[in-house]
Short mmCIF file of all heavy atoms in Angstrom, two decimals:
data_model
loop_
_atom_site.label_atom_id
_atom_site.label_comp_id
_atom_site.label_asym_id
_atom_site.label_seq_id
_atom_site.Cartn_x
_atom_site.Cartn_y
_atom_site.Cartn_z
N VAL A 11 -74.51 82.00 -141.21
CA VAL A 11 -75.55 81.00 -141.00
C VAL A 11 -76.45 81.33 -139.81
O VAL A 11 -77.52 80.76 -139.65
CB VAL A 11 -74.94 79.59 -140.78
CG1 VAL A 11 -74.17 79.15 -142.00
CG2 VAL A 11 -74.05 79.58 -139.56
N SER A 12 -76.02 82.26 -138.95
CA SER A 12 -76.79 82.52 -137.73
C SER A 12 -76.57 83.96 -137.31
O SER A 12 -76.44 84.85 -138.14
CB SER A 12 -76.35 81.53 -136.64
OG SER A 12 -77.12 81.67 -135.48
N SER A 13 -76.50 84.21 -135.99
CA SER A 13 -76.28 85.55 -135.47
C SER A 13 -74.85 86.00 -135.72
O SER A 13 -73.97 85.20 -136.05
CB SER A 13 -76.58 85.59 -133.97
OG SER A 13 -75.58 84.87 -133.27
N THR A 14 -74.61 87.28 -135.52
CA THR A 14 -73.27 87.83 -135.72
C THR A 14 -72.24 87.10 -134.88
O THR A 14 -71.16 86.75 -135.36
CB THR A 14 -73.25 89.33 -135.36
OG1 THR A 14 -74.22 90.00 -136.15
CG2 THR A 14 -71.88 89.94 -135.61
N LYS A 15 -72.55 86.86 -133.62
CA LYS A 15 -71.59 86.22 -132.72
C LYS A 15 -71.36 84.76 -133.10
O LYS A 15 -70.22 84.29 -133.11
CB LYS A 15 -72.07 86.34 -131.28
CG LYS A 15 -71.05 85.89 -130.25
CD LYS A 15 -71.51 86.17 -128.83
CE LYS A 15 -71.44 87.63 -128.48
NZ LYS A 15 -71.62 87.88 -127.03
N ILE A 16 -72.42 84.04 -133.43
CA ILE A 16 -72.27 82.64 -133.82
C ILE A 16 -71.49 82.53 -135.12
O ILE A 16 -70.64 81.64 -135.29
CB ILE A 16 -73.64 81.95 -133.96
CG1 ILE A 16 -74.39 81.97 -132.62
CG2 ILE A 16 -73.47 80.52 -134.44
CD1 ILE A 16 -73.66 81.28 -131.49
N ASN A 17 -71.74 83.45 -136.05
CA ASN A 17 -70.96 83.46 -137.30
C ASN A 17 -69.48 83.63 -137.01
O ASN A 17 -68.62 83.00 -137.63
CB ASN A 17 -71.45 84.58 -138.21
CG ASN A 17 -72.81 84.31 -138.81
OD1 ASN A 17 -73.26 83.16 -138.85
ND2 ASN A 17 -73.48 85.34 -139.28
N ALA A 18 -69.15 84.52 -136.06
CA ALA A 18 -67.75 84.77 -135.71
C ALA A 18 -67.11 83.51 -135.11
O ALA A 18 -65.95 83.21 -135.38
CB ALA A 18 -67.66 85.93 -134.73
N VAL A 19 -67.88 82.77 -134.31
CA VAL A 19 -67.37 81.53 -133.73
C VAL A 19 -67.07 80.51 -134.82
O VAL A 19 -65.99 79.89 -134.85
CB VAL A 19 -68.38 80.94 -132.73
CG1 VAL A 19 -67.96 79.54 -132.29
CG2 VAL A 19 -68.52 81.84 -131.52
N LEU A 20 -68.00 80.32 -135.74
CA LEU A 20 -67.81 79.34 -136.81
C LEU A 20 -66.64 79.73 -137.70
O LEU A 20 -65.92 78.87 -138.22
CB LEU A 20 -69.09 79.22 -137.64
CG LEU A 20 -70.30 78.64 -136.88
CD1 LEU A 20 -71.54 78.63 -137.77
CD2 LEU A 20 -70.00 77.24 -136.37
N ARG A 21 -66.43 81.03 -137.88
CA ARG A 21 -65.28 81.48 -138.67
C ARG A 21 -63.98 81.10 -137.98
O ARG A 21 -63.02 80.65 -138.62
CB ARG A 21 -65.34 83.00 -138.88
CG ARG A 21 -64.18 83.56 -139.69
CD ARG A 21 -64.34 85.07 -139.91
NE ARG A 21 -63.24 85.58 -140.71
CZ ARG A 21 -62.06 85.96 -140.22
NH1 ARG A 21 -61.84 85.88 -138.91
NH2 ARG A 21 -61.11 86.42 -141.02
N GLN A 22 -63.93 81.26 -136.66
CA GLN A 22 -62.74 80.88 -135.91
C GLN A 22 -62.47 79.37 -136.01
O GLN A 22 -61.32 78.94 -136.06
CB GLN A 22 -62.87 81.29 -134.45
CG GLN A 22 -62.67 82.77 -134.19
CD GLN A 22 -61.27 83.24 -134.55
OE1 GLN A 22 -60.29 82.54 -134.33
NE2 GLN A 22 -61.18 84.44 -135.11
N LEU A 23 -63.53 78.59 -136.04
CA LEU A 23 -63.35 77.14 -136.18
C LEU A 23 -62.79 76.79 -137.54
O LEU A 23 -61.96 75.86 -137.67
CB LEU A 23 -64.70 76.43 -135.95
CG LEU A 23 -65.28 76.55 -134.54
CD1 LEU A 23 -66.61 75.81 -134.46
CD2 LEU A 23 -64.33 76.03 -133.48
N GLU A 24 -63.22 77.51 -138.57
CA GLU A 24 -62.67 77.29 -139.90
C GLU A 24 -61.19 77.63 -139.93
O GLU A 24 -60.38 76.94 -140.57
CB GLU A 24 -63.43 78.13 -140.93
CG GLU A 24 -64.84 77.65 -141.23
CD GLU A 24 -64.82 76.28 -141.90
OE1 GLU A 24 -64.08 76.10 -142.88
OE2 GLU A 24 -65.52 75.37 -141.41
N ILE A 25 -60.82 78.71 -139.24
CA ILE A 25 -59.41 79.10 -139.18
C ILE A 25 -58.59 78.01 -138.47
O ILE A 25 -57.49 77.64 -138.91
CB ILE A 25 -59.25 80.45 -138.45
CG1 ILE A 25 -59.84 81.57 -139.31
CG2 ILE A 25 -57.79 80.74 -138.13
CD1 ILE A 25 -59.88 82.92 -138.62
N SER A 26 -59.14 77.48 -137.37
CA SER A 26 -58.45 76.41 -136.65
C SER A 26 -58.26 75.18 -137.53
O SER A 26 -57.20 74.52 -137.47
CB SER A 26 -59.25 76.02 -135.39
OG SER A 26 -59.29 77.09 -134.47
N LYS A 27 -59.25 74.88 -138.35
CA LYS A 27 -59.14 73.73 -139.25
C LYS A 27 -58.01 73.92 -140.25
O LYS A 27 -57.23 73.01 -140.52
CB LYS A 27 -60.47 73.53 -140.00
CG LYS A 27 -60.48 72.30 -140.90
CD LYS A 27 -61.70 72.27 -141.79
CE LYS A 27 -62.98 72.14 -140.99
NZ LYS A 27 -64.17 72.01 -141.86
N LEU A 28 -57.89 75.14 -140.78
CA LEU A 28 -56.84 75.42 -141.75
C LEU A 28 -55.46 75.40 -141.11
O LEU A 28 -54.46 75.13 -141.77
CB LEU A 28 -57.08 76.78 -142.40
CG LEU A 28 -58.30 76.88 -143.32
CD1 LEU A 28 -58.47 78.30 -143.83
CD2 LEU A 28 -58.18 75.91 -144.49
N LYS A 29 -55.39 75.71 -139.82
CA LYS A 29 -54.10 75.72 -139.12
C LYS A 29 -53.60 74.32 -138.77
O LYS A 29 -52.51 74.17 -138.23
CB LYS A 29 -54.21 76.54 -137.84
CG LYS A 29 -54.26 78.04 -138.07
CD LYS A 29 -54.30 78.77 -136.74
CE LYS A 29 -54.25 80.28 -136.92
NZ LYS A 29 -54.29 80.99 -135.62
N GLY A 30 -54.41 73.31 -139.04
CA GLY A 30 -53.99 71.95 -138.71
C GLY A 30 -54.90 71.24 -137.75
O GLY A 30 -54.46 70.39 -136.98
N LYS A 31 -56.17 71.63 -137.77
CA LYS A 31 -57.18 70.97 -136.94
C LYS A 31 -56.85 71.08 -135.46
O LYS A 31 -56.98 70.10 -134.69
CB LYS A 31 -57.33 69.50 -137.35
CG LYS A 31 -57.85 69.31 -138.76
CD LYS A 31 -58.08 67.86 -139.09
CE LYS A 31 -58.65 67.68 -140.50
NZ LYS A 31 -58.88 66.27 -140.84
N GLU A 32 -56.42 72.26 -135.01
CA GLU A 32 -56.15 72.46 -133.59
C GLU A 32 -57.45 72.38 -132.80
O GLU A 32 -58.52 72.75 -133.29
CB GLU A 32 -55.47 73.81 -133.36
CG GLU A 32 -56.31 75.01 -133.76
CD GLU A 32 -55.57 76.32 -133.58
OE1 GLU A 32 -54.34 76.28 -133.46
OE2 GLU A 32 -56.22 77.37 -133.57
N LYS A 33 -57.35 71.91 -131.58
CA LYS A 33 -58.54 71.74 -130.75
C LYS A 33 -58.97 73.07 -130.15
O LYS A 33 -58.15 73.91 -129.79
CB LYS A 33 -58.29 70.71 -129.65
CG LYS A 33 -58.10 69.29 -130.19
CD LYS A 33 -58.20 68.26 -129.09
CE LYS A 33 -58.14 66.85 -129.66
NZ LYS A 33 -58.39 65.81 -128.65
N THR A 34 -60.30 73.22 -130.03
CA THR A 34 -60.88 74.49 -129.57
C THR A 34 -61.93 74.23 -128.49
O THR A 34 -62.70 73.26 -128.59
CB THR A 34 -61.53 75.24 -130.74
OG1 THR A 34 -60.56 75.46 -131.76
CG2 THR A 34 -62.11 76.58 -130.29
N ILE A 35 -61.97 75.10 -127.48
CA ILE A 35 -63.01 75.04 -126.45
C ILE A 35 -63.93 76.24 -126.64
O ILE A 35 -63.47 77.37 -126.77
CB ILE A 35 -62.40 75.08 -125.04
CG1 ILE A 35 -61.43 73.92 -124.86
CG2 ILE A 35 -63.49 75.03 -123.98
CD1 ILE A 35 -60.67 73.95 -123.53
N ILE A 36 -65.23 75.99 -126.70
CA ILE A 36 -66.23 77.05 -126.81
C ILE A 36 -66.97 77.14 -125.48
O ILE A 36 -67.58 76.16 -125.04
CB ILE A 36 -67.22 76.77 -127.96
CG1 ILE A 36 -66.46 76.67 -129.28
CG2 ILE A 36 -68.29 77.85 -128.04
CD1 ILE A 36 -67.34 76.26 -130.45
N VAL A 37 -66.92 78.30 -124.85
CA VAL A 37 -67.44 78.46 -123.48
C VAL A 37 -68.59 79.47 -123.47
O VAL A 37 -68.51 80.54 -124.09
CB VAL A 37 -66.33 78.95 -122.53
CG1 VAL A 37 -66.86 79.05 -121.10
CG2 VAL A 37 -65.13 78.03 -122.58
N SER A 38 -69.64 79.14 -122.74
CA SER A 38 -70.72 80.08 -122.48
C SER A 38 -71.30 79.78 -121.11
O SER A 38 -71.28 78.64 -120.64
CB SER A 38 -71.82 79.96 -123.54
OG SER A 38 -72.93 80.79 -123.20
N GLN A 39 -71.81 80.83 -120.44
CA GLN A 39 -72.48 80.61 -119.16
C GLN A 39 -73.92 80.16 -119.36
O GLN A 39 -74.61 79.80 -118.40
CB GLN A 39 -72.43 81.88 -118.32
CG GLN A 39 -73.05 83.10 -118.97
CD GLN A 39 -72.77 84.36 -118.17
OE1 GLN A 39 -72.97 84.39 -116.96
NE2 GLN A 39 -72.31 85.41 -118.83
#
């Protein structure tokens, strides 16, 4: 849906959802 890095982030969020909706922190400077 976006840049390579943003796509990778959204993919990780999908994985977290499948694992049981674990909470995630997204950090950027």
Side-chain angles (χ1 to χ4, degrees):
V11 298
S12 184
S13 70
T14 303
K15 189 173 286 191
I16 299 301
N17 288 341
V19 171
L20 295 177
R21 180 177 181 274
Q22 284 297 322
L23 295 180
E24 288 295 310
I25 291 174
S26 295
K27 183 190 296 184
L28 292 176
K29 285 183 176 180
K31 296 184 178 180
E32 63 183 17
K33 292 194 175 186
T34 303
I35 302 175
I36 300 175
V37 183
S38 175
Q39 57 189 311

